[in-house]
Amino acid sequence: MAKLLLLLFLFSFGAAPSCPTTAGVRIELSHVDSQRDFTKLDLLKRAAERVMTSGSNVQSTVDVQTQLYAGGGSFLMELAIGTPTLSYSAIMDTGSDLIWTQCQPCLRCFSQLTPLYDPSRSSTYATLPCNASQCLSLPSFTRTCAPPASDCSYDYTYGDNSSTDGVLGTETFTFGSVAVSEVAFGCSNNNNGNFDNSSGSGIVGMGRGNLSLVSQLGDGRFSYCLTSYGDNKTSPLLLGAMATLSEQAQSTPFVANPPSFPSYYYLSLHGITVGDTELPIPNTTFSMTSNGTGGLVIDSGTTVTMLVDPAYAELKRAFESQMNLSAADGSAYGYDICFAYGGEAVQVPRLVFHFEGADMDLPPENYIVVDSGAALLCVVVVRSNLTLSIFGNFQQQNMHVLYDLAGGTLSFEAAQCDQL
């Protein structure tokens, strides 16, 4: 597959007289080579929608903190499992609920950088029976319990057709210095699809269902701050009372979930502005329909923002009319809002997402990627092939985002994430 480096940007925000800051930002673009594999644009285009639901026991409130870092188009969190502990990393995914890691004995496992977890070597591991509340909380179509089996088994598939199957159990998980016992998780020994060593050892579901980590810890409140791709830096994931923002943060309410998708974090997106032009998008474009389709979700496990038509078509039309560059073919990298770029300073139109009660004004590095070798500049937004739109993690870089399930709001503010 053709590969395009995601470049870092050196920005000069001193506005020239010919570049009004209300419509755009004049930037100097510089190529900074990265040694990390996740900076390839073909990883960014793998917007893997994690469409699942689930449930579990809720513990008394536990406050924990751990670290996040970018890898393979996702953001991975650091944690440890078992007694004695085995440290590993896993994708933090607000679009699903199941916590799982690869386990011994493994029938089909992807390469990972840490040893495989072996439940037989942990004194705190236990399987869950098919009639356990945690097992019954799995979506019925994922449970594969059948006589004479007594352990809760599952076959869990994501929206990009990646899948994992194994046995549901409980184990002690450690986050920094805090150990949490009897966390329900999947011990997976058969994994298939878009997983590799940049995926860590599995996924930590952070969705709204009861099997997610945030639900099992009991507080229903967490925040994350995602560093820039290519920075090779870490930033915090905070769960519980430690998750706070400043008084300057903006907030937007969650939209009630349809019964068919109870795990997603739906938001009300009222419009999009490119430059100084609010796009002529019909009011119903980002609304949910009576049958539960449509809407927009925010998802840390999807790399690139995906917009349904006509919103995407209007976004493309606006950038093509406002960029002082010739349109170019970026289809080899999965993008079609691309321009011929020769390394010169360019004026990039502002991109603002107007959520209910809050405007997210993105910096250019959160929606523009450049490759001087291929002479391309591309807008990192794609057309959704689903019935809904997704606000991905690339657009959330250096944004401190707080999920308050009890309060029913998502709050955010710009931040230098590696300095929190």
Side-chain angles (χ1 to χ4, degrees):
M1 178 181 295
K3 297 176 180 178
L4 178 62
L5 288 179
L6 166 63
L7 308 181
L8 305 179
F9 299 94
L10 298 181
F11 291 91
S12 174
F13 288 100
S18 60
C19 302
T21 57
T22 56
V25 179
R26 187 174 182 84
I27 61 176
E28 300 289 341
L29 301 173
S30 298
H31 184 172
V32 181
D33 288 320
S34 172
Q35 298 177 353
R36 293 292 295 269
D37 219 18
F38 63 76
T39 58
K40 298 168 185 173
L41 194 67
D42 61 320
L43 293 176
L44 288 181
K45 79 173 184 177
R46 189 187 67 187
E49 320 84 45
R50 318 274 185 195
V51 186
M52 299 301 306
T53 63
S54 42
S56 172
N57 289 340
V58 176
Q59 304 215 10
S60 58
T61 300
V62 179
D63 298 334
V64 302
Q65 175 176 352
T66 187
Q67 297 298 306
L68 299 171
Y69 64 91
S74 300
F75 283 83
L76 283 72
M77 61 183 292
E78 298 174 350
L79 65 165
I81 185 173
T83 307
T85 59
L86 174 67
S87 296
Y88 74 102
S89 60
I91 294 171
M92 180 201 63
D93 183 21
T94 61
S96 66
D97 293 332
L98 183 64
I99 304 166
W100 65 269
T101 187
Q102 297 195 116
C103 290
Q104 294 278 21
C106 202
L107 302 177
R108 179 168 53 185
C109 282
F110 54 89
S111 173
Q112 65 178 57
L113 300 179
T114 56
L116 285 173
Y117 165 70
D118 186 345
S120 68
R121 296 186 175 183
S122 174
S123 62
T124 46
Y125 172 76
T127 59
L128 286 166
C130 288
N131 61 355
S133 61
Q134 297 97 322
C135 186
L136 296 175
S137 295
L138 282 166
S140 58
F141 57 88
T142 71
R143 294 195 303 270
T144 56
C145 288
S150 59
D151 293 338
C152 178
S153 55
Y154 59 85
D155 187 347
Y156 206 85
T157 301
Y158 295 92
D160 63 349
N161 291 320
S162 298
S163 64
T164 182
D165 59 87
V167 174
L168 199 68
T170 61
E171 181 58 285
T172 296
F173 281 77
T174 302
F175 308 90
S177 60
V178 178
V180 184
S181 62
E182 297 184 346
V183 175
F185 81 108
C187 194
S188 293
N189 55 21
N190 191 0
N191 309 295
N192 186 44
N194 292 323
F195 300 119
D196 54 34
N197 59 21
S198 66
S199 305
S201 302
I203 291 177
V204 176
M206 299 286 289
R208 303 187 76 164
N210 290 334
L211 271 184
S212 75
L213 180 63
V214 62
S215 295
Q216 292 197 59
L217 293 184
D219 190 89
R221 181 183 181 91
F222 69 98
S223 72
Y224 56 72
C225 200
L226 308 179
T227 58
S228 297
Y229 277 102
D231 272 359
N232 296 341
K233 296 178 179 179
T234 62
S235 57
L237 169 67
L238 305 168
L239 296 103
M242 291 188 292
T244 60
L245 300 183
S246 74
E247 294 181 354
Q248 286 71 47
Q250 299 184 71
S251 297
T252 185
F254 290 123
V255 176
N257 291 60
S260 52
F261 298 112
S263 297
Y264 281 168
Y265 295 99
Y266 283 88
L267 300 176
S268 179
L269 181 61
H270 289 180
I272 300 172
T273 291
V274 175
D276 56 6
T277 302
E278 187 163 358
L279 304 183
I281 302 171
N283 294 334
T284 58
T285 301
F286 301 112
S287 300
M288 270 189 287
T289 64
S290 57
N291 64 5
T293 60
L296 175 138
V297 301
I298 183 169
D299 181 13
S300 69
T302 293
T303 309
V304 178
T305 290
M306 307 167 66
L307 298 177
V308 296
D309 279 326
Y312 180 79
E314 292 294 344
L315 182 86
K316 180 180 180 181
R317 185 177 296 112
F319 270 100
E320 288 179 343
S321 67
Q322 295 184 39
M323 291 288 293
N324 293 321
L325 298 172
S326 300
D329 182 8
S331 59
Y333 311 110
Y335 296 94
D336 68 347
I337 310 179
C338 291
F339 304 91
Y341 175 67
E344 67 274 20
V346 296
Q347 182 178 345
V348 177
R350 292 173 60 216
L351 179 58
V352 185
F353 285 79
H354 303 289
F355 296 101
E356 181 178 344
D359 293 334
M360 187 178 288
D361 193 342
L362 298 178
E365 64 265 34
N366 283 21
Y367 59 95
I368 297 292
V369 65
V370 181
D371 176 42
S372 56
L376 279 178
L377 179 152
C378 295
V379 177
V380 187
V381 178
V382 299
R383 176 179 281 108
S384 176
N385 58 0
L386 307 170
T387 61
L388 81 168
S389 299
I390 300 177
F391 195 79
N393 66 49
F394 193 85
Q395 279 63 46
Q396 300 175 54
Q397 296 172 91
N398 284 309
M399 196 78 65
H400 196 180
V401 184
L402 170 65
Y403 294 67
D404 184 353
L405 278 65
T409 59
L410 179 126
S411 302
F412 59 88
E413 61 183 349
Q416 193 64 40
C417 291
D418 64 292
Q419 296 179 13
L420 291 182

